[in-house]
Amino acid sequence: MKLPLFKAAFKDQQTSMWVYVGVMLFYGLLIMVAFLSVEDMLSEPFSSVEGITLTKIGTNDEYDVFNLKWETRTGTAAHVAFGLDLDEGMDWANFTLDDIEGFNMSQVQDLFEDHFGNISLGEYLKDDPMLMEFFENYTGDHSGNMHYPAPIPFPDGKSGIELVYFGEGTYVNFTNSGSSLLFVVGLIPNDWNLSNITFLGPVSSMDLMQISDFDEYLEENPMMKAFFGEEMISFTEIEGFIALEYFSMWPLMLLIFLAIKTGGTVSKHVDDQSIDILLATGYSRFRFLNEKMLVVAMNLALVVIAAWVGVILGVFMIGKPVPVAGITIAFLGSVPLAFGMVGLSLLLSVLIDESSKTTGAIMGLTIFMFMIQIVSNIAGWQDGLGYISLFTYYDMNQLMVHRTFDAVNIILPSVIGMVSMIASYILFKKKEIHA
Amino acid sequence: MTPDIDPVIELNKLTKFYGKSRGIIDVDLSVKRGEVFGFLGPNGAGKSTAIRTILDLIRPTSGWARVNGMDPTKEGAKVRRSVGYLPSDFGTYKSMTAKAYLRTLLEMMDYRGQDRIEELAGRLDLDLKRRIKDFSRGNRQKIGVVSAFMHNPKLAILDEPTTGLDPLMQQEFYRIVLEEKSKENTVFLSSHILAEVESICDRVGIIREGRLIMVENMSTFKKKTGKVLNVEFDRKVDPYIFMSLPGVSDIKVGEENILIMTVSSHIDGVIKELARHTIIDLTYDEVSLEDLFLKYYGKENVSHNRNGARGVVQ
């Protein structure tokens, strides 16, 4: 089947299309390099004082996983690491351990005793290697070190202390399930006199919290939540990062591209009067639109493929496992959205004869729908006003992270696309083409 | 298909209004096979409206048209395929070369015969290898002319075809049209230039304010219109001397010693009379369309036409 109009129209528009294809390829690569920076930022020890360093090494469910590392000294029998949960509004600059409410060694002892009965920790550990072994087994630290896994809030509820580690090792990896803000390590002297413990620290998780609790920040910030979507996902995992940083913007990038590409389908030819000679060849209006729509479809396919390759290559380049399925599904999930946009753009292109006005109207509509989505997310109008925005029908988290399609998100934009496309064909068939 | 029984173009009370604005009103016309028909009228008179209605680019408000026996409102694409059409103004795919563009149009026409692209481009001095965006207005018009004839249509509909063409190319264009006629093909062209229509058309229809006010054979038409003879004498000459001569239909006394007379035939008598005087200067021109209207329809109507027509018809 010969498609001369398709070939001519595709060729005519190809420069802008290849530019967009290049941009999408490049953007995918670039955003993944940005992920490395985020990761670097998170893996840098953010808090380090003499002899002790706290580093974030990942996340486990919704909690951060830290590495706490310290230097030991001669004459040290064992190390005990505490996490401290503090009141807000403290004077951090002049903070000392004495400022921690309830932090005194008797309470530390109480803490141990809560779990090991009314037995002096010092006595036990000093005299009973078996207990030491038990302690190790109980905490199950693979490194042979031990950490105490559960947060222990103090009864007053305001501030608290939790045991993070006890043993002879010089580091611990732990899940900060108690959300402690400060960490200290006590070096227990050989005589096990707990009043002579030397403390290292404190190191703070405050700075890191501000970055790693981005998800929490989103949850608390409706504007950001509206922008990034209803369901929060981890920013620091590659999938979450791609969903947040790439696919939150992808619908806007795609729809603007389609607005530009589809807007001129009819109006450009009416405006510059090229449609006269094209139709004079004996092309029916139906065939004219078919081949012009094929150009849009080809543009869409090439840009989506370029974007897909860009992201996949980007993840591959930074040496991370590539979530191919998630990325593919997230791109496929944008196709109904694209179809909806193409239908609406075509309709405006048929209705408005001046191509600059058509493009303006379509861009205006796109931005309007984007704003509607944000506003309805903030106000919780997703099931009301939100329905009129195509952007509502794109859930990056569901697609990218959960890898599932929502029927509504496929059907509704497809129906919008189908109805407006049928209307466009009918109106174009009836349209009077003025000189 | 004989011309009398089945005209190539037939319009019956064809009327088009744009809302309340007049396009064309009750146009009745029949164009025979093998003739060159000139559709003459000032800008905004409704020429393009009639042509666009014939080609189903716009739809009639009432009345009907037949082109090659087909109803454009039902078989628009077929009608357009059966003709060669040159719009009054048109855009193209500017990034393409002229040749690529014309080849695309041929492919769209699904034309498989011997095309005339190279031949016509050669005659019109059109560089086919250049990109269209580098073309002047005149060169782009040549592309339109080639596109209208390249596929050997039996009927060509040309809307102001010589716009932008230089005089040499206009002459070449006239030759192309006359060749079409010799091949018994039909050419329907619109123009606002009387001389153009007179030089190539067999028949002329004058459209004014949307109405077809006159259809004539060219020989009859020429007799009616005549030409304007503008003579400057060395002294005042009595206009009544010329008024009485055969073929002189109108005479005016101009500034200085100038006489302006319309001569429709029998120029011989006028020249012999002129020879008896001392002539400083002399021009012999076509009647302008405006003068033609002035002659037939009075001054008031002409000025009304000029103002009233502006911007009404697209």
Side-chain angles (χ1 to χ4, degrees), chain A residues 214-223 225 232:
Chain A
F214 185 68
D215 301 344
E216 193 180 310
Y217 164 70
L218 291 179
E219 190 65 51
E220 288 165 0
N221 188 323
M223 194 68 192
K225 187 173 161 184
M232 292 303 119

Side-chain angles (χ1 to χ4, degrees), chain A residues 312-344:
Chain A
I312 299 268
L313 267 183
V315 182
F316 182 75
M317 265 177 52
I318 62 170
K320 298 283 173 190
V322 186
V324 179
I327 292 170
T328 308
I329 287 168
F331 277 117
L332 285 177
S334 65
V335 171
L337 205 67
F339 185 62
M341 188 67 207
V342 167
L344 290 174

